[in-house]
Amino acid sequence: MKLGARIVKTGVAIVFALFLADLLNLPSPVFAGIAAIFAIQPSIYRSYLTIIEQIQSNFIGAGIAVIFALIFGHHYVAVGLAAVITIAIMLKLKLEKSISLALVTIIAIMEGPSDDFIVFALIRFTTIVVGVLAAFFVNLVFMPPKYETKLFHSIHMTTDELIRWTRLAKRQASEHMATKQELEKLRERLIKIDQFYLFYKEERSYFRNEKRAKARKLVVYRQMISVANKSWEVLKRLHIYENELANLPNHFRLMIQERLDFLLTYHEQLHLKYTGKLKPEHSLWTENEALLKRHEVMEIFAREIALSKEEEIFSSYHLLHVLSAVLDYEEQLEHLDTLIVSHQNYHGEEIKVELEDGF
């Protein structure tokens, strides 16, 4: 079992919250530890948003708890009614994510003694705020997430798997059920990549140059993800129509295989180019003069369709699905190449330093 950074930070935040509460001589420091659990977030920006929302929720919960305790006393029914009212208010204010902490605040305050109740409520409120602040501090300084590195590595490793399986599938060398299972796993990994992209996008830059550089990176990473999705679509269609592809005329099947071989190698080299391991001006695309243009491929395809109708050799309908996915993949790769070359001219050395070690 692998312990992620968020798991470790949750434990550190609990310890730090309990330590602060004890240092400030706050009774029942356990509530600070509970509050710290709710406040840990996967990114610094989300942690900042959470701390604002949770302090508001804590204030609402504490206020309702005090009002209900003073009017109805500390009866169990009063606690439940206060919880219902709090949830309704939180939903109205669109603070759904912090409802749990607000309910913890209500219970923590309303279970207290009647004597000096206002002072007791204030102490409990302060204890929970200490826990929230402790979690924010831990999220800020302890193992800060580096989502750019995680994002690129996830894209690279997923792309590597896609290329490997596509090379097997285009020659009908992969086992049918194994490919199906791998497609599902790769789909889940692509969804996780989208999450990493969102986390990286949310990270704040404080200088104008950093903002511009990050904006350019986001464009490149978004296109990398788009290309990975197109690659997954190619693999999926090769898998679905593997029987139809096996029945293609030999020369046409070889043409598709050769084109895919070229595109997969091209995809690999684009990642190397982005990390500075390939010269920006180098392009497998421009150097391969023998490669057919897209319109030439379509002309050959049209001729094969006409021939197949006369001789009933293969299903042109199914082939169209495969060919459209391949050509779409090709177009997206060209666009990614253009973006990478442009980006390398501005930030080539910076990318190499940030990503080369892990890569």
Side-chain angles (χ1 to χ4, degrees):
M1 182 181 67
K2 183 179 178 180
L3 294 179
R6 189 175 178 183
I7 297 174
V8 176
K9 286 199 291 187
T10 301
V12 173
I14 292 172
V15 171
F16 187 52
L18 294 173
F19 170 76
L20 283 180
D22 187 56
L23 187 66
L24 296 172
N25 293 321
L26 295 172
S28 302
V30 65
F31 288 108
I34 293 173
I37 296 172
F38 291 111
I40 286 293
Q41 294 295 316
S43 68
I44 295 174
Y45 178 66
R46 290 196 177 192
S47 183
Y48 166 74
L49 295 179
T50 299
I51 190 175
I52 300 299
E53 183 176 310
Q54 289 186 339
I55 289 176
Q56 292 174 340
S57 303
N58 193 21
F59 183 79
I60 292 170
I64 292 175
V66 170
I67 292 171
F68 272 72
L70 292 176
I71 296 176
F72 302 107
H74 300 268
H75 197 276
Y76 300 146
V77 177
V79 176
L81 185 59
V84 170
I85 299 299
T86 300
I87 293 172
I89 293 174
M90 298 281 285
L91 291 174
K92 186 69 175 178
L93 297 176
K94 297 182 179 180
L95 298 172
E96 300 92 341
K97 295 180 181 178
S98 299
I99 287 177
S100 299
L101 184 62
L103 297 180
V104 169
T105 303
I106 289 173
I107 296 172
I109 290 176
M110 294 190 72
E111 61 92 24
S114 300
D115 299 336
D116 296 327
F117 176 70
I118 299 298
V119 175
F120 174 82
L122 182 61
I123 292 174
R124 283 290 167 89
F125 173 80
T126 304
T127 302
I128 293 175
V129 170
V130 166
V132 172
L133 294 174
F136 176 72
F137 180 79
V138 169
N139 219 34
L140 187 65
V141 301
F142 184 74
M143 297 174 65
K146 296 180 179 180
Y147 281 112
E148 182 185 1
T149 303
K150 290 183 179 180
L151 173 61
F152 178 74
H153 287 175
S154 296
I155 294 172
H156 176 69
M157 297 305 295
T158 303
T159 298
D160 188 56
E161 287 295 310
L162 283 165
I163 290 172
R164 187 178 305 159
W165 280 91
T166 304
R167 283 193 167 119
L168 292 173
K170 67 185 174 63
R171 290 182 170 83
Q172 290 85 45
S174 58
E175 201 276 326
H176 185 82
M177 286 305 299
T179 307
K180 183 178 179 181
Q181 293 171 1
E182 190 64 25
L183 276 166
E184 294 173 357
K185 292 178 183 177
L186 290 168
R187 182 75 267 173
E188 292 175 359
R189 288 169 68 172
L190 288 170
I191 292 172
K192 191 172 183 180
I193 286 172
D194 284 332
Q195 294 175 343
F196 282 144
Y197 178 84
L198 182 60
F199 290 151
Y200 175 56
K201 185 178 180 181
E202 288 178 346
E203 288 182 350
R204 288 296 180 259
S205 301
Y206 302 101
F207 301 99
R208 182 176 297 178
N209 290 339
E210 290 181 353
K211 290 180 181 179
R212 290 175 179 173
K214 183 176 177 179
R216 294 190 183 101
K217 287 181 183 179
L218 285 170
V219 172
V220 176
Y221 287 133
R222 183 71 263 173
Q223 183 61 20
M224 281 186 178
I225 295 171
S226 178
V227 170
N229 278 286
K230 296 300 180 184
S231 178
W232 183 87
E233 189 64 32
V234 169
L235 177 58
K236 179 183 176 182
R237 296 191 185 187
L238 290 174
H239 169 68
I240 293 174
Y241 303 117
E242 60 180 348
N243 292 328
E244 287 77 8
L245 289 169
N247 294 325
L248 287 177
N250 189 53
H251 68 283
F252 199 29
R253 185 172 66 253
L254 288 175
M255 187 190 78
I256 293 176
Q257 289 179 1
E258 288 174 1
R259 195 169 196 87
L260 272 173
D261 270 331
F262 170 80
L263 293 177
L264 296 174
T265 303
Y266 185 36
H267 198 169
E268 289 173 327
Q269 291 192 0
L270 288 181
H271 280 218
L272 293 173
K273 185 183 290 188
Y274 183 71
T275 55
K277 296 182 182 297
L278 200 66
K279 295 178 181 179
E281 64 273 11
H282 175 82
S283 176
L284 181 66
W285 189 261
T286 57
E287 290 179 359
N288 197 323
E289 297 178 356
L291 189 74
L292 293 172
K293 304 298 182 184
R294 275 193 290 273
H295 71 275
E296 294 174 328
V297 174
M298 293 306 298
E299 288 174 2
I300 294 174
F301 177 59
R303 288 199 300 268
E304 292 292 339
I305 288 177
L307 183 63
S308 69
K309 286 181 178 179
E310 295 176 2
E311 304 179 10
E312 297 184 357
I313 300 174
F314 63 91
S315 171
S316 58
Y317 173 75
H318 294 142
L319 179 59
L320 181 60
H321 282 281
V322 176
L323 198 61
S324 63
V326 172
L327 294 178
D328 196 13
Y329 177 43
E330 178 181 316
E331 187 176 357
Q332 295 300 322
L333 281 171
E334 285 180 331
H335 184 47
L336 177 60
D337 193 2
T338 301
L339 292 175
I340 289 176
V341 171
S342 174
H343 191 267
Q344 289 289 82
N345 292 332
Y346 288 96
H347 306 287
E349 288 302 317
E350 175 188 336
I351 297 170
K352 188 175 181 180
V353 170
E354 291 179 356
L355 299 179
E356 188 176 37
D357 292 339
F359 184 81

